[in-house]
Amino acid sequence: MTRIVVDNTRCVGAAQCVLTAPDLFDQDDDGLVMVLEENPGTERVKSANTAATLCPSQAITIQES
């Protein structure tokens, strides 16, 4: 199972995650990342990994269990 974990203390609000995977990420009123689906299905794991890679502050981690 894949799990998306975010560290809001690292988020700089660049919104690369939202632009890359708007079905998985959004931003709160302060511009910080919010996870819309913590456990994405297999078809969305690639998007989650791309968003994590593009995050300039490395605030997104994809965990596999």
Side-chain angles (χ1 to χ4, degrees), residues 14-32:
Q16 293 304 303
C17 55
V18 178
L19 294 172
T20 303
D23 55 331
L24 297 174
F25 301 97
D26 200 355
Q27 288 179 290
D28 65 15
D29 291 339
D30 294 322
L32 301 178

